[in-house]
């Protein structure tokens, strides 16, 4: 898979009674040879909302949501421990870039080493029959490198340069057990905690403002919905009450700078005399009434008329190329340790055994 910008795609069937799945994801990015950019950046996301940030310039983990201050009510040293986790990852990732360069027979240049992990938990099943939905994925220079298959409890190496790492990690049964424990137990437990801390914000619903836009009279008409929350939404075009699939192009759901979301759906309508039969319909999960906007030429905002510029500030959520020859030791669970961190722990000492010369 090539490098991706993480966005949330349109869902369907939102008016049903399906359980709401909540997620926790961590994104780590290390770089080499990139000017004016931190060598290491780490962020955590709950339901695709950033909750914290660490980088090699500040060398500290900082909250990105006001409600994250509640975490210290339960664990006073939370932020110190998270900073320690990220600092350990920073060292490991720096070493892994050098190891990867050796594996690919590279010297200088710009190189990116990336990692993401995460899990889901839904508020209906609670702790019963928790599905195995967690993942670990690593990437190097925009290509998949190695990933963890939770069902088979083995590592997948799409690159020849990752095979040596796969064999080492597959043979370390204790480490695999710790990965599974983190993804299926510790990670979902922290999802529940975070959702509880940010319940008022994360479980709110906000309807969007909807606009009809058109660049030129011959261009498709775009129905643009912005300012909605959460991102579980659909935007469709209907004609005479029937959903259209032909001559319709659905856009992605993208984040706004204020934590809400936006999306669009483009339509190539037929003859202008039929335009009154079209309507754009926005549906938001948890909200009974749809937002319906009938296609009306008088309401279309056109570039030709007023040089409209749509103010869209898109928050780019960590670019990810999944995965590297790295050696990332996540949480090593010890029975004596009562306080375990919410994010994966990277153990720099693991790096030596992954060295291609070893």
């Amino acid at each position: 898979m090539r490098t991706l910008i993480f966005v949330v795609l349109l869902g369907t069937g939102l008016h049903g009674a399906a359980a709401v799945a909540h997620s926790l994801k961590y994104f780590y990015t290390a770089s080499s040879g990139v000017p004016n950019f931190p060598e290491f950046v780490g962020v955590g996301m709950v339901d695709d909302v950033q909750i914290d940030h660490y980088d090699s310039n500040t060398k500290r983990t900082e909250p990105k949501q006001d409600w994250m201050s509640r975490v210290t009510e339960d664990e006073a040293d939370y932020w110190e421990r998270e900073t320690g986790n990220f600092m350990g990852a920073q060292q490991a990732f720096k070493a892994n870039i050098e190891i990867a360069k050796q594996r690919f027979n590279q010297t200088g240049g710009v190189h990116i080493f990336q990692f993401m992990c995460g899990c889901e938990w839904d508020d209906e099943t609670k702790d019963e029959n928790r599905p195995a939905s967690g993942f670990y994925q690593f990437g190097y220079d925009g290509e998949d490198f190695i990933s963890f298959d939770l069902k088979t409890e083995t590592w997948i190496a799409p690159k020849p340069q990752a095979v040596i790492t796969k064999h080492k990690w597959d043979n370390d049964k204790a480490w695999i057990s710790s990965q599974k424990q983190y993804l299926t137990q510790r990670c979902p437990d922290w999802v529940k905690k975070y959702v509880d801390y940010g319940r008022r914000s994360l479980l709110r619903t906000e309807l969007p403002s909807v606009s009809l836009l058109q660049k030129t009279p011959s261009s498709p008409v775009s129905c643009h919905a912005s300012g909605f929350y959460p991102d579980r939404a659909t935007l469709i075009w209907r004609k005479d009450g029937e959903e259209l699939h032909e001559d319709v192009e659905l856009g992605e759901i993208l984040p706004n700078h204020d934590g809400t979301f936006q999306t669009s759906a483009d339509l190539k309508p037929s003859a202008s005399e039929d335009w009154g039969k079209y309507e754009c319909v926005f549906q938001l999960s948890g909200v009974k009434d749809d937002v319906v906007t009938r296609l009306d030429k008088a309401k279309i905002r056109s570039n030709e008329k007023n040089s409209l510029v749509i103010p869209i500030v898109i928050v780019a959520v960590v670019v990810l190329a999944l995965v590297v020859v790295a050696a990332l030791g996540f949480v090593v669970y010890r029975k004596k340790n009562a306080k375990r961190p919410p994010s994966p722990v990277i153990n720099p000492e693991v790096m030596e055994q992954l060295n291609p010369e070893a």
Side-chain angles (χ1 to χ4, degrees):
M1 178 180 291
R2 293 288 177 179
T3 301
L4 302 176
I5 293 180
F6 280 83
V7 294
V8 184
L9 302 181
L10 287 169
T12 58
L14 294 172
H15 290 304
V20 176
H22 300 283
S23 64
L24 171 62
K25 302 172 188 175
Y26 283 95
F27 301 86
Y28 297 172
T29 301
S31 60
S32 174
V34 181
N36 303 318
F37 190 77
E39 291 185 347
F40 178 82
V41 177
V43 299
M45 310 281 292
V46 173
D47 290 353
D48 295 307
V49 174
Q50 185 177 354
I51 61 171
D52 60 18
H53 175 273
Y54 171 93
D55 65 55
S56 53
N57 291 342
T58 64
K59 292 183 172 61
R60 65 175 180 270
T61 308
E62 299 176 331
K64 286 298 181 180
Q65 301 297 325
D66 292 340
W67 48 264
M68 277 297 291
S69 61
R70 291 186 54 196
V71 72
T72 54
E73 297 174 5
D74 297 327
E75 299 191 31
D77 62 344
Y78 175 90
W79 295 110
E80 289 75 12
R81 289 189 296 106
E82 283 298 274
T83 294
N85 291 346
F86 281 124
M87 290 183 72
Q90 177 182 331
Q91 297 178 51
F93 275 45
K94 185 174 182 178
N96 281 329
I97 286 182
E98 296 306 314
I99 294 173
K101 287 166 65 176
Q102 293 179 45
R103 297 259 181 108
F104 283 92
N105 195 26
Q106 299 168 334
T107 52
V110 173
H111 299 285
I112 304 293
F113 172 73
Q114 296 169 304
F115 157 75
M116 80 170 180
C117 75
C119 65
E120 289 187 345
W121 169 83
D122 72 70
D123 54 8
E124 281 195 4
T125 60
K126 308 296 182 184
D127 293 331
E128 300 176 5
N129 302 318
R130 179 180 292 161
S133 62
F135 59 91
Y136 288 130
Q137 297 175 315
F138 302 78
Y140 180 67
D141 284 353
E143 299 283 348
D144 287 355
F145 198 89
I146 195 167
S147 61
F148 185 59
D149 187 328
L150 184 56
K151 293 182 179 180
T152 62
E153 298 183 23
T154 58
W155 291 90
I156 300 173
K159 294 287 185 181
Q161 292 85 350
V163 173
I164 183 174
T165 302
K166 168 183 166 55
H167 291 326
K168 288 178 182 290
W169 290 0
D170 281 348
N171 291 328
D172 192 340
K173 301 304 181 183
W175 192 51
I176 286 179
S177 178
S178 74
Q179 313 310 307
K180 181 179 179 179
Q181 187 181 27
Y182 177 81
L183 292 177
T184 61
Q185 297 181 37
R186 296 301 302 161
C187 183
D189 286 345
W190 277 99
V191 177
K192 290 185 287 184
K193 286 186 178 182
Y194 291 136
V195 170
D196 184 57
Y197 294 145
R199 182 170 298 275
R200 182 174 297 179
S201 174
L202 295 173
L203 302 185
R204 75 188 191 278
T205 56
E206 295 183 19
L207 291 174
S209 60
V210 179
S211 303
L212 298 175
L213 311 172
Q214 190 177 34
K215 293 181 179 179
T216 68
S218 59
S219 300
V221 177
S222 178
C223 180
H224 182 256
S226 182
F228 60 88
Y229 189 92
D231 58 6
R232 295 182 293 276
T234 60
L235 187 65
I236 63 172
W237 279 99
R238 292 194 306 220
K239 183 179 181 181
D240 292 327
E242 297 293 329
E243 181 177 352
L244 296 174
H245 299 286
E246 294 184 2
D247 297 323
V248 172
E249 183 176 350
L250 301 179
E252 298 170 342
I253 293 183
L254 302 173
N256 290 320
H257 69 286
D258 60 357
T260 62
F261 296 89
Q262 62 170 293
T263 189
S264 62
D266 293 348
L267 167 72
K268 294 181 180 179
S270 58
S272 58
E273 57 267 21
D274 295 332
W275 279 29
K277 299 179 180 180
Y278 293 91
E279 57 188 13
C280 175
V281 182
F282 176 88
Q283 300 173 335
L284 184 65
S285 176
V287 177
K288 182 179 179 180
D289 296 328
D290 299 339
V291 178
V292 180
T293 305
R294 188 167 296 278
L295 181 56
D296 184 344
K297 277 192 172 184
K299 295 182 179 180
I300 296 177
R301 303 164 68 183
S302 172
N303 283 351
E304 286 193 342
K305 293 180 180 179
N306 50 25
S307 301
L308 174 65
V309 177
I310 307 172
I312 303 176
V313 183
I314 299 177
V315 178
V317 191
V318 193
V319 187
L320 217 272
L322 309 175
V323 211
V324 89
V325 5
L328 273 139
F330 296 92
V331 186
V332 177
Y333 293 92
R334 297 174 181 169
K335 294 181 180 179
K336 296 181 180 179
N337 187 2
K339 288 187 176 181
R340 295 169 180 167
S343 60
V345 174
I346 309 301
N347 182 1
E349 296 178 358
V350 181
M351 294 306 103
E352 293 183 3
Q353 68 175 340
L354 296 178
N355 192 303
E357 302 299 326

